[in-house]
Amino acid sequence: MRLEAKVYIVGAGPGDPELITVKGMRILEQADVVIYTDSLVREELLQYCRPGTQVYRSAGMTLEEIVESMAAHVRMGHSVARVHTGDPAVFGAILEQIGLLRRANIPYEVVPGVSSVFAAAAVLGAELTVPELTQTVILTRVGGRTPVPEGEQLRDLARHHATMALYLSATLAKKAVDELLAADWSPDTPVAVVQKATWPDQKVIRTTLSGLVRAMGDAHVSTHAMILAGWALDPDIALEDGHRSRLYDKTFTHRFRRGVANHD
Ligand SMILES: C[S@@+](CC[C@H](N)C(=O)[O-])C[C@H]1O[C@@H](n2cnc3c(N)ncnc32)[C@H](O)[C@@H]1O
């Protein structure tokens, strides 16, 4: 691929530099300018950049400074990689940047990344959609200083008994527990927390709803953590019968395999 003079909003993945997409890596290799969220994106990703790449760390910059700098570089004919943690579309705060870029007529393209929900599930070796148990994952946050819209309180969403993936909620674990209990979740419901998934200092906690606050306190986990809750997180669920996907059932036919029972 050949880069153009525009802003590439790139998902860096959860931490491990090998978990960026090939496309994201190619953009880092070729970009004239890289602006990355240094509080959340691993610095090791810069190993992909060529010598001479201009690098900005965005944690100390305002939104206007970030966008003005990206726009100025694009107007000079430069390609700019704006690197965000995980996938930019989930709690990535890209909308406000896109709004300002569009107003300034600066072209942009979004390149997806591996969100922390999927990195955490991988670390746990878990499937979040378990046949006959839940076929839904709800990606959300607990409302705190940043409120959530009416009707999206955790207790409302939790009535579905789907797998819950809680971003930005490590300091609100007590509220998460209260809300899930208020939605009639059992105190024994399995919960897993992965802090800094795929970073060298990653921490994993496996507990239950009733044990969550204490377990997070004991492990000193209060930032940068993904909380996954629901029976899909039962560490032994893979050993239970009755959760097999119909896709591989020998009596279930689909376009790519005709079932044994239906062979003529
Ligand atoms: C500003 S949001 C960014 C989310 C990001 N866009 C994503 O797709 O993962 C930051 C929150 O994402 C979660 N997070 C991001 N990276 C993580 C990681 N490596 N391990 C665990 N949680 C992570 C945490 O809940 C953190 O509070």
Side-chain angles (χ1 to χ4, degrees), residues 148-168:
V148 296
E150 184 69 27
E152 290 186 20
Q153 298 301 322
L154 196 53
R155 68 177 67 196
D156 302 320
L157 303 175
R159 297 203 194 284
H160 297 284
H161 287 268
T163 302
M164 309 295 305
L166 304 179
Y167 290 75
L168 294 159

PDB file of all heavy atoms in Angstrom, residues 148-168:
ATOM      1  N   VAL A 148     -24.159   7.442  31.654  1.00  0.00           N
ATOM      2  CA  VAL A 148     -24.631   6.691  30.488  1.00  0.00           C
ATOM      3  C   VAL A 148     -26.072   7.133  30.213  1.00  0.00           C
ATOM      4  O   VAL A 148     -26.777   7.555  31.129  1.00  0.00           O
ATOM      5  CB  VAL A 148     -24.551   5.153  30.698  1.00  0.00           C
ATOM      6  CG1 VAL A 148     -23.122   4.701  30.864  1.00  0.00           C
ATOM      7  CG2 VAL A 148     -25.390   4.705  31.875  1.00  0.00           C
ATOM      8  N   PRO A 149     -26.513   7.056  28.960  1.00  0.00           N
ATOM      9  CA  PRO A 149     -27.863   7.544  28.633  1.00  0.00           C
ATOM     10  C   PRO A 149     -28.953   6.769  29.371  1.00  0.00           C
ATOM     11  O   PRO A 149     -28.761   5.605  29.762  1.00  0.00           O
ATOM     12  CB  PRO A 149     -27.974   7.314  27.131  1.00  0.00           C
ATOM     13  CG  PRO A 149     -26.570   7.201  26.646  1.00  0.00           C
ATOM     14  CD  PRO A 149     -25.790   6.599  27.764  1.00  0.00           C
ATOM     15  N   GLU A 150     -30.088   7.433  29.510  1.00  0.00           N
ATOM     16  CA  GLU A 150     -31.285   6.841  30.110  1.00  0.00           C
ATOM     17  C   GLU A 150     -31.573   5.489  29.444  1.00  0.00           C
ATOM     18  O   GLU A 150     -31.489   5.361  28.232  1.00  0.00           O
ATOM     19  CB  GLU A 150     -32.432   7.844  29.837  1.00  0.00           C
ATOM     20  CG  GLU A 150     -33.772   7.509  30.428  1.00  0.00           C
ATOM     21  CD  GLU A 150     -33.767   7.627  31.940  1.00  0.00           C
ATOM     22  OE1 GLU A 150     -32.981   8.410  32.486  1.00  0.00           O
ATOM     23  OE2 GLU A 150     -34.569   6.900  32.556  1.00  0.00           O
ATOM     24  N   GLY A 151     -31.888   4.485  30.231  1.00  0.00           N
ATOM     25  CA  GLY A 151     -32.209   3.170  29.655  1.00  0.00           C
ATOM     26  C   GLY A 151     -30.983   2.302  29.445  1.00  0.00           C
ATOM     27  O   GLY A 151     -31.092   1.146  29.052  1.00  0.00           O
ATOM     28  N   GLU A 152     -29.781   2.872  29.673  1.00  0.00           N
ATOM     29  CA  GLU A 152     -28.557   2.078  29.494  1.00  0.00           C
ATOM     30  C   GLU A 152     -27.841   1.854  30.820  1.00  0.00           C
ATOM     31  O   GLU A 152     -26.636   1.610  30.851  1.00  0.00           O
ATOM     32  CB  GLU A 152     -27.619   2.755  28.496  1.00  0.00           C
ATOM     33  CG  GLU A 152     -28.145   2.708  27.081  1.00  0.00           C
ATOM     34  CD  GLU A 152     -27.147   3.242  26.058  1.00  0.00           C
ATOM     35  OE1 GLU A 152     -25.941   3.301  26.370  1.00  0.00           O
ATOM     36  OE2 GLU A 152     -27.600   3.612  24.976  1.00  0.00           O
ATOM     37  N   GLN A 153     -28.569   2.021  31.938  1.00  0.00           N
ATOM     38  CA  GLN A 153     -27.965   1.686  33.228  1.00  0.00           C
ATOM     39  C   GLN A 153     -27.636   0.201  33.203  1.00  0.00           C
ATOM     40  O   GLN A 153     -28.344  -0.591  32.564  1.00  0.00           O
ATOM     41  CB  GLN A 153     -28.942   1.970  34.371  1.00  0.00           C
ATOM     42  CG  GLN A 153     -29.348   3.433  34.502  1.00  0.00           C
ATOM     43  CD  GLN A 153     -28.161   4.365  34.722  1.00  0.00           C
ATOM     44  OE1 GLN A 153     -27.222   4.011  35.428  1.00  0.00           O
ATOM     45  NE2 GLN A 153     -28.195   5.524  34.111  1.00  0.00           N
ATOM     46  N   LEU A 154     -26.581  -0.180  33.916  1.00  0.00           N
ATOM     47  CA  LEU A 154     -26.161  -1.582  33.886  1.00  0.00           C
ATOM     48  C   LEU A 154     -27.304  -2.507  34.288  1.00  0.00           C
ATOM     49  O   LEU A 154     -27.488  -3.581  33.713  1.00  0.00           O
ATOM     50  CB  LEU A 154     -24.958  -1.748  34.815  1.00  0.00           C
ATOM     51  CG  LEU A 154     -24.144  -3.014  34.645  1.00  0.00           C
ATOM     52  CD1 LEU A 154     -23.721  -3.210  33.206  1.00  0.00           C
ATOM     53  CD2 LEU A 154     -22.931  -2.976  35.561  1.00  0.00           C
ATOM     54  N   ARG A 155     -28.113  -2.065  35.272  1.00  0.00           N
ATOM     55  CA  ARG A 155     -29.196  -2.951  35.730  1.00  0.00           C
ATOM     56  C   ARG A 155     -30.225  -3.187  34.621  1.00  0.00           C
ATOM     57  O   ARG A 155     -30.836  -4.241  34.551  1.00  0.00           O
ATOM     58  CB  ARG A 155     -29.862  -2.412  36.995  1.00  0.00           C
ATOM     59  CG  ARG A 155     -30.647  -1.151  36.804  1.00  0.00           C
ATOM     60  CD  ARG A 155     -31.313  -0.763  38.098  1.00  0.00           C
ATOM     61  NE  ARG A 155     -30.342  -0.373  39.122  1.00  0.00           N
ATOM     62  CZ  ARG A 155     -30.623  -0.283  40.419  1.00  0.00           C
ATOM     63  NH1 ARG A 155     -31.830  -0.558  40.863  1.00  0.00           N
ATOM     64  NH2 ARG A 155     -29.713   0.099  41.276  1.00  0.00           N
ATOM     65  N   ASP A 156     -30.404  -2.205  33.715  1.00  0.00           N
ATOM     66  CA  ASP A 156     -31.332  -2.389  32.590  1.00  0.00           C
ATOM     67  C   ASP A 156     -30.749  -3.371  31.581  1.00  0.00           C
ATOM     68  O   ASP A 156     -31.425  -4.294  31.121  1.00  0.00           O
ATOM     69  CB  ASP A 156     -31.610  -1.053  31.881  1.00  0.00           C
ATOM     70  CG  ASP A 156     -32.181  -0.013  32.840  1.00  0.00           C
ATOM     71  OD1 ASP A 156     -33.016  -0.402  33.678  1.00  0.00           O
ATOM     72  OD2 ASP A 156     -31.785   1.161  32.761  1.00  0.00           O
ATOM     73  N   LEU A 157     -29.493  -3.158  31.230  1.00  0.00           N
ATOM     74  CA  LEU A 157     -28.842  -4.030  30.235  1.00  0.00           C
ATOM     75  C   LEU A 157     -28.707  -5.457  30.776  1.00  0.00           C
ATOM     76  O   LEU A 157     -28.834  -6.429  30.030  1.00  0.00           O
ATOM     77  CB  LEU A 157     -27.455  -3.487  29.882  1.00  0.00           C
ATOM     78  CG  LEU A 157     -27.406  -2.049  29.348  1.00  0.00           C
ATOM     79  CD1 LEU A 157     -25.961  -1.615  29.149  1.00  0.00           C
ATOM     80  CD2 LEU A 157     -28.162  -1.938  28.025  1.00  0.00           C
ATOM     81  N   ALA A 158     -28.479  -5.561  32.083  1.00  0.00           N
ATOM     82  CA  ALA A 158     -28.187  -6.870  32.677  1.00  0.00           C
ATOM     83  C   ALA A 158     -29.404  -7.788  32.699  1.00  0.00           C
ATOM     84  O   ALA A 158     -29.261  -9.000  32.878  1.00  0.00           O
ATOM     85  CB  ALA A 158     -27.645  -6.677  34.086  1.00  0.00           C
ATOM     86  N   ARG A 159     -30.590  -7.224  32.511  1.00  0.00           N
ATOM     87  CA  ARG A 159     -31.791  -8.079  32.533  1.00  0.00           C
ATOM     88  C   ARG A 159     -31.772  -9.100  31.408  1.00  0.00           C
ATOM     89  O   ARG A 159     -32.492 -10.076  31.442  1.00  0.00           O
ATOM     90  CB  ARG A 159     -33.057  -7.222  32.448  1.00  0.00           C
ATOM     91  CG  ARG A 159     -33.181  -6.303  33.641  1.00  0.00           C
ATOM     92  CD  ARG A 159     -34.573  -5.823  33.943  1.00  0.00           C
ATOM     93  NE  ARG A 159     -34.537  -4.699  34.879  1.00  0.00           N
ATOM     94  CZ  ARG A 159     -34.319  -4.816  36.180  1.00  0.00           C
ATOM     95  NH1 ARG A 159     -34.141  -5.996  36.728  1.00  0.00           N
ATOM     96  NH2 ARG A 159     -34.275  -3.746  36.955  1.00  0.00           N
ATOM     97  N   HIS A 160     -30.926  -8.868  30.398  1.00  0.00           N
ATOM     98  CA  HIS A 160     -30.821  -9.835  29.297  1.00  0.00           C
ATOM     99  C   HIS A 160     -29.986 -11.060  29.686  1.00  0.00           C
ATOM    100  O   HIS A 160     -29.961 -12.034  28.945  1.00  0.00           O
ATOM    101  CB  HIS A 160     -30.187  -9.161  28.078  1.00  0.00           C
ATOM    102  CG  HIS A 160     -31.018  -8.044  27.534  1.00  0.00           C
ATOM    103  ND1 HIS A 160     -32.142  -8.266  26.784  1.00  0.00           N
ATOM    104  CD2 HIS A 160     -30.900  -6.698  27.660  1.00  0.00           C
ATOM    105  CE1 HIS A 160     -32.689  -7.095  26.447  1.00  0.00           C
ATOM    106  NE2 HIS A 160     -31.959  -6.140  26.980  1.00  0.00           N
ATOM    107  N   HIS A 161     -29.276 -10.984  30.771  1.00  0.00           N
ATOM    108  CA  HIS A 161     -28.378 -12.068  31.207  1.00  0.00           C
ATOM    109  C   HIS A 161     -27.396 -12.459  30.118  1.00  0.00           C
ATOM    110  O   HIS A 161     -27.055 -13.636  29.955  1.00  0.00           O
ATOM    111  CB  HIS A 161     -29.191 -13.271  31.714  1.00  0.00           C
ATOM    112  CG  HIS A 161     -29.818 -12.975  33.051  1.00  0.00           C
ATOM    113  ND1 HIS A 161     -29.200 -13.269  34.242  1.00  0.00           N
ATOM    114  CD2 HIS A 161     -30.975 -12.357  33.364  1.00  0.00           C
ATOM    115  CE1 HIS A 161     -29.968 -12.856  35.252  1.00  0.00           C
ATOM    116  NE2 HIS A 161     -31.050 -12.295  34.737  1.00  0.00           N
ATOM    117  N   ALA A 162     -26.987 -11.481  29.351  1.00  0.00           N
ATOM    118  CA  ALA A 162     -25.949 -11.704  28.338  1.00  0.00           C
ATOM    119  C   ALA A 162     -24.579 -11.554  28.994  1.00  0.00           C
ATOM    120  O   ALA A 162     -24.474 -11.151  30.151  1.00  0.00           O
ATOM    121  CB  ALA A 162     -26.119 -10.656  27.235  1.00  0.00           C
ATOM    122  N   THR A 163     -23.521 -11.848  28.247  1.00  0.00           N
ATOM    123  CA  THR A 163     -22.168 -11.583  28.754  1.00  0.00           C
ATOM    124  C   THR A 163     -21.948 -10.069  28.753  1.00  0.00           C
ATOM    125  O   THR A 163     -22.227  -9.391  27.768  1.00  0.00           O
ATOM    126  CB  THR A 163     -21.118 -12.245  27.835  1.00  0.00           C
ATOM    127  OG1 THR A 163     -21.386 -13.643  27.779  1.00  0.00           O
ATOM    128  CG2 THR A 163     -19.710 -12.004  28.345  1.00  0.00           C
ATOM    129  N   MET A 164     -21.457  -9.556  29.881  1.00  0.00           N
ATOM    130  CA  MET A 164     -21.223  -8.112  29.982  1.00  0.00           C
ATOM    131  C   MET A 164     -19.717  -7.837  29.912  1.00  0.00           C
ATOM    132  O   MET A 164     -18.940  -8.474  30.638  1.00  0.00           O
ATOM    133  CB  MET A 164     -21.720  -7.567  31.329  1.00  0.00           C
ATOM    134  CG  MET A 164     -23.137  -7.936  31.696  1.00  0.00           C
ATOM    135  SD  MET A 164     -24.397  -7.255  30.634  1.00  0.00           S
ATOM    136  CE  MET A 164     -24.027  -5.548  30.704  1.00  0.00           C
ATOM    137  N   ALA A 165     -19.344  -6.920  29.059  1.00  0.00           N
ATOM    138  CA  ALA A 165     -17.943  -6.487  28.979  1.00  0.00           C
ATOM    139  C   ALA A 165     -17.900  -5.028  29.415  1.00  0.00           C
ATOM    140  O   ALA A 165     -18.464  -4.160  28.746  1.00  0.00           O
ATOM    141  CB  ALA A 165     -17.424  -6.630  27.551  1.00  0.00           C
ATOM    142  N   LEU A 166     -17.256  -4.783  30.535  1.00  0.00           N
ATOM    143  CA  LEU A 166     -17.268  -3.429  31.117  1.00  0.00           C
ATOM    144  C   LEU A 166     -15.926  -2.738  30.900  1.00  0.00           C
ATOM    145  O   LEU A 166     -14.903  -3.143  31.464  1.00  0.00           O
ATOM    146  CB  LEU A 166     -17.573  -3.506  32.607  1.00  0.00           C
ATOM    147  CG  LEU A 166     -18.884  -4.229  32.982  1.00  0.00           C
ATOM    148  CD1 LEU A 166     -19.068  -4.254  34.496  1.00  0.00           C
ATOM    149  CD2 LEU A 166     -20.074  -3.553  32.303  1.00  0.00           C
ATOM    150  N   TYR A 167     -15.958  -1.725  30.057  1.00  0.00           N
ATOM    151  CA  TYR A 167     -14.791  -0.870  29.852  1.00  0.00           C
ATOM    152  C   TYR A 167     -14.819   0.233  30.918  1.00  0.00           C
ATOM    153  O   TYR A 167     -15.885   0.574  31.444  1.00  0.00           O
ATOM    154  CB  TYR A 167     -14.865  -0.173  28.485  1.00  0.00           C
ATOM    155  CG  TYR A 167     -14.691  -1.056  27.280  1.00  0.00           C
ATOM    156  CD1 TYR A 167     -15.696  -1.910  26.858  1.00  0.00           C
ATOM    157  CD2 TYR A 167     -13.515  -1.015  26.539  1.00  0.00           C
ATOM    158  CE1 TYR A 167     -15.541  -2.698  25.731  1.00  0.00           C
ATOM    159  CE2 TYR A 167     -13.365  -1.803  25.404  1.00  0.00           C
ATOM    160  CZ  TYR A 167     -14.378  -2.637  25.010  1.00  0.00           C
ATOM    161  OH  TYR A 167     -14.217  -3.418  23.887  1.00  0.00           O
ATOM    162  N   LEU A 168     -13.666   0.824  31.157  1.00  0.00           N
ATOM    163  CA  LEU A 168     -13.565   2.076  31.937  1.00  0.00           C
ATOM    164  C   LEU A 168     -14.297   2.001  33.277  1.00  0.00           C
ATOM    165  O   LEU A 168     -14.832   3.003  33.741  1.00  0.00           O
ATOM    166  CB  LEU A 168     -14.173   3.225  31.094  1.00  0.00           C
ATOM    167  CG  LEU A 168     -13.426   3.571  29.815  1.00  0.00           C
ATOM    168  CD1 LEU A 168     -14.337   4.301  28.825  1.00  0.00           C
ATOM    169  CD2 LEU A 168     -12.204   4.436  30.104  1.00  0.00           C
TER     170      LEU A 168
END
